[in-house]
Amino acid sequence: MIAEDFVYYRPDSLPEAARLFSELDHEGDNPLYYAGGTEILTSARLRDLGTRALIDLKGIPECRLCERCDGRLILGSCLTLAEIAALNPWPLLTETVGRLADHTTRRKITLGGNLAGSIHYREAALPFLLVDARARLYGPGGDRRTSFDKVFDGSLHLGRGEFLVHLEVAEADLDLPGACVKKTRLDWVDYPLLTVAAVRSENGYRVALSGLLDRPFRARGLEKALGNRNESALGHLKKALSTLPRGVLEDLHGSADYRLFVLGHTLEDILSRV
Amino acid sequence: MQAITDPKEIELNVNDEDRIVTIHPADTLLYTLREGLGLTGAKPGCENGDCGACTVLVDGGPIKSCMMLTAEAIGHDIQTVEGLRGAPIQRAFIDAWAFQCGYCTSGFIMVAQGLLRAHPHADEKTMTEWLRSNICRCTSYEEIGKAVRSAIERGDEAARRMSEAARAASRRS
């Protein structure tokens, strides 16, 4: 049972959602956009939500798109992870989201919700960090389109009242050989000790990681080091790992040293496959 | 635009019946099913989306009803364990003794029913992936797997018999 009290709106269009947010914000209701709701309902149950209004975006057609248009794949922010896996428009994304949470919960968690949530792993971002992805946003200021890395640096940075409508990926990027491996410490269904996604392009490997730091990130230093192939595979990887940023996590899932040990072996495995 | 700002009377389709119930905007589907409609088959367990004891089918697929607002369920078909009314998966759980305390059973049965609808010939990997959504603290996983596997096999056997009967009828005509 949720003891917090809030009101629920389900707008039908982008302008309606943005207008509603502005009105409720002006009235001091501290509105929140809502999609899958798994994180919001958990917070509400703990009386830790602090909102008096939820605006459910699932009724907006633009947020539910999964289509190819003008050479780009468009993925609506309110697609659930299960829907993405079933439609399988991008195998690397399917492989990545297919290891988030459990099967039933993936029928609720949405692409946008995973990126915008406060739980820092945000693994659905990994494939988008590896390609030339673009984002469409909407808010009280209207429509905005930008590159994904301008609004996502490990967490999503949006203006007040702005929300993610969809992400776009060039069709050519969908065919890059890639793979994603998630390692958990105890159970199959768990937050990651480490999730590694990689693709191979004509310029070399691209690697994105979740679970290593307190945010998902594209490991550009690692990619550059991996580009030097004159050394043995293991020695090569050890040197490459030294290029990683500081701040490797130490928590119940594993120590920093353990994470780096697992990362080395996972990279060796994944790079041999892509 | 749909708006639920106060306690409101709504219509929910549950187990193929249109039911009228009054909800608050913050009510979860689990709360409405149990307290509003008296359908106590969906169990409150962790109420955090982890255990799956509250699983119901929404439009034929499993949903943890503690993780869905009732307002979200308007216009969708909801099925609870009460709506199965002696489905083969229930018989399979009984035959395999796939429970101990029984608290998680309705959730497991609903996720298995969803699996049988979506993948009637599910392989071991698919079955395991779906069942991982639920937790049994009595650890009856072996028996639960056996029950679901036998329901899949019975379905396969029934499909094979129907196919053979259709072929025989076709040869006769």
Side-chain angles (χ1 to χ4, degrees):
Chain A
M1 182 182 170
I2 293 172
E4 278 204 36
D5 210 11
F6 49 76
V7 294
Y8 172 90
Y9 297 96
R10 190 178 171 114
D12 302 315
S13 69
L14 299 170
E16 197 173 44
R19 194 169 50 246
L20 186 61
F21 187 98
S22 294
E23 287 169 9
L24 294 166
D25 201 28
H26 185 70
E27 289 163 17
D29 286 343
N30 191 27
L32 283 180
Y33 289 120
Y34 180 94
T38 51
E39 200 173 312
I40 287 178
L41 294 186
T42 302
S43 298
R45 205 166 274 121
L46 297 171
R47 293 173 177 252
D48 194 24
L49 194 56
T51 185
R52 289 209 291 272
L54 294 181
I55 303 171
D56 189 345
L57 300 174
K58 293 195 293 292
I60 301 172
E62 289 90 336
C63 295
R64 298 272 308 143
L65 285 178
C66 181
E67 65 176 26
R68 291 186 184 218
C69 184
D70 297 332
R72 297 186 79 81
L73 171 68
I74 297 173
L75 292 162
S77 60
C78 288
L79 289 171
T80 67
L81 304 186
E83 286 171 329
I84 290 171
L87 296 165
N88 193 21
W90 183 12
L92 179 62
L93 182 61
T94 299
E95 191 178 9
T96 306
V97 301
R99 280 290 274 114
L100 265 77
D102 60 71
H103 180 273
T104 301
T105 307
R106 289 198 293 272
R107 297 192 72 246
K108 278 292 274 170
I109 299 174
T110 60
L111 176 62
N114 184 258
L115 301 181
S118 64
I119 299 171
H120 67 80
Y121 301 105
R122 304 183 188 100
E123 293 151 278
L126 296 181
F128 296 98
L129 291 170
L130 297 174
V131 298
D132 173 27
R134 297 189 61 76
R136 182 184 179 192
L137 314 162
Y138 200 93
D143 222 340
R144 185 159 74 97
R145 288 165 196 265
T146 184
S147 63
F148 180 59
D149 57 10
K150 289 257 172 60
V151 289
F152 189 90
D153 65 354
S155 60
L156 204 53
H157 296 282
L158 304 172
R160 183 83 188 151
E162 209 170 35
F163 57 92
L164 182 66
V165 179
H166 70 229
L167 293 176
E168 297 177 15
V169 179
E171 280 185 327
D173 283 340
L174 305 178
D175 297 327
L176 291 173
C180 182
V181 173
K182 176 175 178 173
K183 299 285 186 187
T184 52
R185 178 73 185 271
L186 293 173
D187 207 350
W188 180 261
V189 177
D190 199 355
Y191 292 119
L193 172 78
L194 199 64
T195 302
V196 184
V199 296
R200 183 167 46 80
S201 72
E202 57 187 22
N203 299 321
Y205 295 113
R206 301 177 197 166
V207 179
L209 304 168
S210 170
L212 192 74
L213 307 181
D214 60 359
R215 62 191 183 280
F217 68 104
R218 170 106 174 248
R220 291 183 189 274
L222 182 72
E223 290 171 8
K224 200 172 168 188
L226 288 170
N228 174 8
R229 300 173 192 205
N230 295 326
E231 299 167 53
S232 71
L234 201 57
H236 184 61
L237 272 174
K238 274 185 182 166
K239 192 173 171 187
L241 293 180
S242 68
T243 66
L244 286 166
R246 290 182 178 186
V248 176
L249 292 175
E250 300 250 11
D251 58 23
L252 281 172
H253 295 276
S255 66
D257 284 345
Y258 182 61
R259 279 187 158 89
L260 289 171
F261 169 79
V262 174
L263 174 60
H265 285 273
T266 308
L267 269 176
E268 202 174 2
D269 167 45
I270 203 169
L271 297 182
S272 68
R273 286 203 278 137
V274 301
Chain B
M1 176 168 66
Q2 181 185 318
I4 299 182
T5 54
D6 295 303
K8 185 176 181 180
E9 205 170 71
I10 60 153
E11 189 176 282
L12 272 188
N13 185 282
V14 184
N15 298 331
D16 295 323
E17 286 178 37
D18 290 329
R19 304 280 304 266
I20 305 294
V21 62
T22 299
I23 65 162
H24 287 74
D27 285 349
T28 61
L29 179 58
L30 173 65
Y31 184 83
T32 301
L33 289 171
R34 292 179 61 84
E35 304 299 328
L37 297 173
L39 296 167
T40 55
K43 303 297 181 195
C46 67
E47 293 195 67
N48 196 42
D50 294 323
C51 75
C54 64
T55 303
V56 299
L57 299 186
V58 176
D59 297 333
I63 285 286
K64 295 177 183 178
S65 60
C66 72
M67 279 288 155
M68 184 177 220
L69 293 172
T70 309
E72 289 180 83
I74 297 170
H76 296 276
D77 294 330
I78 301 153
Q79 189 174 33
T80 68
V81 72
E82 290 90 343
L84 292 186
R85 301 185 182 99
I89 188 65
Q90 293 172 294
R91 183 76 247 168
F93 266 66
I94 294 166
D95 291 347
W97 291 91
F99 38 77
Q100 290 184 59
C101 81
Y103 198 78
C104 71
T105 306
S106 58
F108 267 105
I109 285 179
M110 294 314 288
V111 82
Q113 178 72 4
L115 170 70
L116 292 168
R117 280 181 58 123
H119 302 284
H121 312 294
D123 58 18
E124 193 72 16
K125 186 181 169 200
T126 306
M127 183 188 85
T128 304
E129 182 64 13
W130 282 58
L131 293 182
R132 274 189 182 127
S133 302
N134 292 42
I135 293 171
C136 169
R137 290 293 71 167
C138 309
T139 65
S140 289
Y141 298 111
E142 193 67 31
E143 291 79 7
I144 291 167
K146 197 172 159 188
V148 179
R149 214 171 285 120
S150 83
I152 293 167
E153 284 162 7
R154 282 180 208 175
D156 286 347
E157 178 62 18
R160 190 184 60 75
R161 282 186 196 156
M162 281 175 68
S163 165
E164 277 177 7
R167 271 202 301 273
S170 152
R171 278 198 298 272
R172 281 196 298 274
S173 60

